[in-house]
């Protein structure tokens, strides 16, 4: 289980991609997890059906004020970004023993992810001034398997860092996000998942809903989602762009 708080931002590491560990089918991304009402992701069998990212440019700098005297709240303090909450399965068996005493060397800790953004045609996405493929740091613990059952854990990956969100501002349509996650076992073995590809729907303003507060004329109801601008609708008013 993992809890996300806002803002949650990982700096993109736009480094070279040489030296990646070979793909290992024993460690695999199984899907994108939704967050519950407490902003908690728990491994299971329920996955996000339609990942969405609101690319509204006005959401980057907009602030709201819930009522008189309230401190203005930034709608997107971390910018336009998408954090994929990935469920990762580890099929490497737990080999810990009491006699002889031996710790389990096969739990797995995520360290970084390689991401490539593609068009719906599968070709690298055209992002002026930015590479379509890059690396980002990440964290996440996945226990080892037990018998025929894989261990499962949660690994959040910032597949759209803010600098890429700026490049996608105002875009709509669907892109493909391809990800490989690399980490190390407790025994020091580097393992990389196979490539996991999912469609990400881009929209402009679809995830922000303006709701006037009936008890306080001139103000609005402020109900943020766990990650504003991502997947779920937030009760925020976006500023109207000048004509």
């Amino acid at each position: 289980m993992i809890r996300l708080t806002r803002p949650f931002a990982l700096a993109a590491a736009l480094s070279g991609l040489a030296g990646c560990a070979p793909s290992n089918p024993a460690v695999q991304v199984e899907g994108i997890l939704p967050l519950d009402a407490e902003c908690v992701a728990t491994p299971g069998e329920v996955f996000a059906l339609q990942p969405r990212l609101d690319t509204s440019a006005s959401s980057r700098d907009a602030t709201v004020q819930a009522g008189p005297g309230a401190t203005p709240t930034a709608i997107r303090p971390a910018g336009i970004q998408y954090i994929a909450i990935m469920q990762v399965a580890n099929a490497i068996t737990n080999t810990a023993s009491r006699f002889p005493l031996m710790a389990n060397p096969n739990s797995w800790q995520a360290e970084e992810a390689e991401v490539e953004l593609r068009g719906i045609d599968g070709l690298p996405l055209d992002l002026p001034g930015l590479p379509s493929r890059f690396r980002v740091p990440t964290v996440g613990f996945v226990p080892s398997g037990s018998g025929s059952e894989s261990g499962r854990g949660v690994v959040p990956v910032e597949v759209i860092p803010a600098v890429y969100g700026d490049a996608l501002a105002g875009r709509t349509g669907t892109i493909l996000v391809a990800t490989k996650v690399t980490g190390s076992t407790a025994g020091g073995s580097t393992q990389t998942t196979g490539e996991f590809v999912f469609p990400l729907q881009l929209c402009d303003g679809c995830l922000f809903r303006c709701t006037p507060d009936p008890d306080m004329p001139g103000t609005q109801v402020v109900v943020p989602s766990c990650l504003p601008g991502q997947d779920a609708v937030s009760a925020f008013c976006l500023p109207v762009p000048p004509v």
Side-chain angles (χ1 to χ4, degrees):
M1 172 174 85
I2 189 168
R3 178 185 298 273
L4 290 189
T5 56
R6 295 177 289 112
F8 181 93
L10 297 175
L14 306 180
S15 56
L17 296 174
C20 292
S23 175
N24 188 328
V27 183
Q28 292 294 333
V29 178
E30 294 186 318
I32 307 298
L33 291 169
L35 296 173
D36 65 17
E38 301 298 322
C39 298
V40 173
T42 304
E45 298 180 356
V46 178
F47 298 105
L49 296 179
Q50 190 179 45
R52 288 189 295 173
L53 174 65
D54 194 317
T55 62
S56 172
S58 60
S59 68
R60 290 175 298 189
D61 304 315
T63 59
V64 296
Q65 188 164 337
T71 301
T73 301
I75 290 179
R76 282 177 133 170
I80 301 171
Q81 60 174 178
Y82 190 91
I83 299 171
I85 315 301
M86 297 185 170
Q87 176 170 302
V88 177
N90 178 9
I92 309 175
T93 303
N94 185 338
T95 58
S97 66
R98 292 186 178 182
F99 304 102
L101 182 63
M102 184 175 71
N104 175 28
N106 292 329
S107 59
W108 182 85
Q109 182 76 42
E111 297 168 350
E112 68 173 15
E114 176 186 316
V115 180
E116 183 173 42
L117 305 181
R118 301 169 183 167
I120 198 66
D121 56 3
L123 297 177
L125 196 64
D126 182 18
L127 297 161
L130 294 171
S132 61
R133 189 163 52 140
F134 53 91
R135 289 178 177 174
V136 291
T138 188
V139 294
F141 174 80
V142 184
S144 58
S146 177
S148 61
E149 184 68 21
S150 296
R152 287 177 171 80
V154 180
V155 179
V157 178
E158 191 183 26
V159 296
I160 306 289
V163 64
Y164 281 81
D166 288 344
L168 293 172
R171 288 202 194 186
T172 59
T174 301
I175 64 173
L176 300 179
V177 180
T179 309
K180 295 180 181 180
V181 184
T182 297
S184 298
T185 65
S189 173
T190 299
Q191 305 290 340
T192 298
T193 69
E195 184 177 80
F196 178 77
V197 182
F198 69 95
L200 179 62
Q201 181 184 354
L202 306 180
C203 63
D204 187 0
C206 69
L207 295 182
F208 295 99
R209 179 176 299 155
C210 189
T211 307
D213 190 334
D215 299 323
M216 294 184 178
T219 65
Q220 61 169 296
V221 176
V222 178
V223 183
S225 62
C226 297
L227 297 167
Q230 171 177 328
D231 297 330
V233 174
S234 299
F236 279 128
C237 285
L238 292 184
V240 178
V243 178

